[in-house]
């Protein structure tokens, strides 16, 4: 059975003016630290190469396109791929993707330890709104800049482990984890950018936001008997704070490692994937216990309908 050291490479703030090259240098520094600690896989955040640009309202398409990558790897990220290959470490990170036929996605990729891209995921649950919202303390325009992902929730056998990806808001939806759980997932890598403040409820408090993130990641892990790695982009980006709280969760839902700062910070844990078996063969043996005859609403109905 496979044992791997998995690292979460939390990134601190990336300012609007920061170049991709400067961010890649920081990602490589974390990769070097991960190598010294024996990591086999490093998980980076959502939209890891730039500031969280969906907070900015833009109309000019050239201005919008600046934030998107048209190929991966590209000249800015090739050093990261090369370094990961030299260190024999698999990586996964998020970026904004513009496809050759003009589609825009919030994407993440995962590589093997030879820096080959073995999996791609495009974010399905896009939060926020598509037009400038005067009621919010700040904007969250993911629905403006991205289309919902078109690839579904897939898994890949990578380095002997069944791995899947999700991105930020996806972690709050049990459907995300269950779709991968039904494919035997053993590790779910999730990058995120979560504002420290609720744009529509400013007095919500950071503790509650961190709690909801942890709750979602821990529940997803336990209910599908899988490791989950949730990695933040944190810190204050041009005056806008993003929360940290990166964690590595085991298949029992326990937290194995947790970031303590809102800066570039590496967390690491040894993951013995044999530990996924017990839950998958007992309480969450889907084949024996699921009752799909009662789950029809999950895929046939989107919003809640109150008829009583
Ligand atoms: N990036 C991302 O998906 N962030 C959301 C913020 C939700 S508030 C509009 C999240 O779920 O953390």
């Amino acid at each position: 059975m496979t044992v791997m050291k998995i690292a979460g490479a939390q990134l601190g703030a990336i300012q609007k003016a920061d170049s991709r090259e400067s961010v890649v240098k920081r990602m490589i520094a974390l990769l070097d630290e991960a190598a010294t600690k024996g990591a086999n896989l490093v998980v980076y955040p959502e939209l890891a190469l730039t500031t969280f640009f969906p907070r900015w309202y833009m109309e000019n398409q050239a201005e919008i396109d600046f934030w998107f990558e048209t190929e991966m790897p590209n000249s800015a990220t090739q050093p990261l791929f090369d370094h990961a290959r030299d260190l024999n470490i698999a990586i996964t990170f998020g970026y904004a993707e513009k496809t050759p036929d003009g589609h825009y996605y919030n994407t993440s990729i995962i590589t093997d330890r030879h820096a080959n891209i073995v999996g791609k995921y495009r974010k399905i649950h896009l939060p926020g709104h598509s037009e400038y919202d005067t009621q919010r303390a700040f904007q969250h325009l993911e629905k403006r800049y991205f289309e919902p992902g078109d690839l579904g929730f897939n898994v890949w056998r990578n380095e002997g482990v069944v791995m899947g990806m999700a991105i930020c808001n996806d972690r709050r939806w049990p459907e995300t984890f269950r779709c991968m759980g039904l494919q035997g997932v053993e590790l779910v890598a999730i990058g995120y950018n979560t504002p420290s403040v609720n744009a529509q409820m400013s007095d919500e408090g950071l503790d509650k936001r961190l709690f909801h993130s942890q709750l979602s990641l821990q529940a997803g892990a336990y209910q599908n008997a899988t490791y989950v790695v949730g990695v933040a982009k944190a810190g204050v980006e041009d005056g806008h704070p993003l929360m940290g709280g990166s964690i590595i969760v085991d298949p029992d839902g326990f937290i194995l490692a947790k970031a303590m700062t809102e800066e570039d910070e590496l967390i690491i844990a040894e993951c013995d994937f044999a530990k996924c078996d017990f839950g998958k063969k007992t309480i969450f043996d889907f084949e024996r216990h699921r009752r799909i005859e009662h789950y029809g609403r999950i895929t046939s109905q989107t919003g809640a309908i109150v008829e009583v």
Side-chain angles (χ1 to χ4, degrees):
M1 267 299 165
T2 310
V3 178
M4 284 178 90
K5 273 198 176 171
I6 310 286
Q10 178 174 288
L11 287 171
I14 300 174
Q15 309 306 333
K16 232 177 161 181
D18 291 346
S19 68
R20 281 142 165 101
E21 286 76 9
S22 70
V23 178
V24 165
K25 278 192 185 138
R26 289 164 56 185
M27 293 169 82
I28 288 175
L30 288 162
L31 196 58
D32 281 334
E33 183 183 343
T36 64
K37 294 179 174 163
N40 310 114
L41 169 73
V42 175
V43 180
Y44 295 98
E46 172 192 33
L47 299 175
L49 305 174
T50 66
T51 195
F52 187 67
F53 68 86
R55 73 168 66 87
W56 305 111
Y57 180 78
M58 294 172 277
E59 289 180 340
N60 180 290
Q61 196 55 50
E63 196 187 340
I64 295 167
D65 280 5
F66 170 80
W67 301 104
F68 286 78
E69 317 299 323
T70 53
E71 50 184 9
M72 190 57 63
N74 55 27
S75 60
T77 56
Q78 191 63 55
L80 178 68
F81 282 76
D82 292 344
H83 209 70
R85 185 188 305 107
D86 291 346
L87 295 174
N88 207 29
I89 296 177
I91 58 173
T92 169
F93 67 90
Y95 63 98
E97 176 192 16
K98 181 182 176 188
T99 68
D101 55 347
H103 292 281
Y104 293 81
Y105 299 107
N106 187 341
T107 296
S108 62
I109 51 98
I110 190 163
T111 75
D112 62 16
R113 287 187 295 154
H114 308 292
N116 302 306
I117 295 176
V118 295
K120 176 182 273 192
Y121 169 71
R122 291 174 174 151
K123 185 174 182 178
I124 287 174
H125 298 103
L126 296 174
H129 50 110
S130 53
E131 296 303 328
Y132 193 89
D133 184 349
T134 54
Q135 302 301 307
R136 291 175 183 250
F138 51 90
Q139 305 297 298
H140 195 111
L141 290 153
E142 287 195 59
K143 280 186 172 19
R144 181 175 187 85
Y145 301 128
F146 303 116
E147 298 162 55
D150 60 346
L151 300 175
F153 293 106
N154 297 309
V155 301
W156 301 268
R157 190 170 292 279
N158 190 23
E159 305 298 340
V161 174
V162 183
M163 298 186 185
M165 293 176 278
I167 300 180
C168 195
N169 191 263
D170 287 321
R171 72 195 188 284
R172 306 185 192 277
W173 300 90
E175 295 88 343
T176 296
F177 291 97
R178 186 49 49 89
C179 285
M180 289 186 269
L182 284 166
Q183 300 169 81
V185 78
E186 296 169 316
L187 174 75
V188 182
I190 305 179
Y192 61 89
N193 284 254
T194 297
S196 308
V197 179
N198 187 329
Q200 294 163 297
M201 193 197 279
S202 56
D203 60 352
E204 184 177 65
L206 180 59
D207 286 352
K208 188 161 132 189
R209 293 174 77 72
L210 285 166
F211 170 68
H212 286 159
S213 179
Q214 281 191 17
L215 179 69
S216 304
L217 295 168
Q218 289 180 264
Y222 167 63
Q223 291 169 347
N224 295 278
T226 179
Y227 286 91
V228 171
V229 185
V231 179
K233 174 130 71 59
V236 183
E237 296 192 337
D238 296 293
H240 296 270
L242 295 169
M243 70 181 209
S246 304
I247 51 174
I248 301 174
V249 185
D250 78 7
D252 285 314
F254 290 119
I255 294 174
L256 301 178
K258 184 175 186 172
M260 303 310 289
T261 72
E262 292 186 345
E263 293 161 16
D264 291 6
E265 179 180 347
L266 196 85
I267 57 172
I268 189 159
E270 187 168 274
C271 300
D272 176 356
F273 291 95
K275 291 186 177 165
C276 298
D277 286 353
F278 185 73
K280 288 186 193 300
K281 288 182 179 155
T282 57
I283 192 159
F284 296 117
D285 181 344
F286 297 153
E287 181 61 36
R288 280 195 294 146
H289 305 308
R290 292 181 78 241
R291 289 291 167 210
I292 59 171
E293 65 273 28
H294 296 295
Y295 302 159
R297 281 183 196 275
I298 300 281
T299 54
S300 64
Q301 182 181 322
T302 308
I305 299 172
V306 181
E307 285 176 333
V308 291

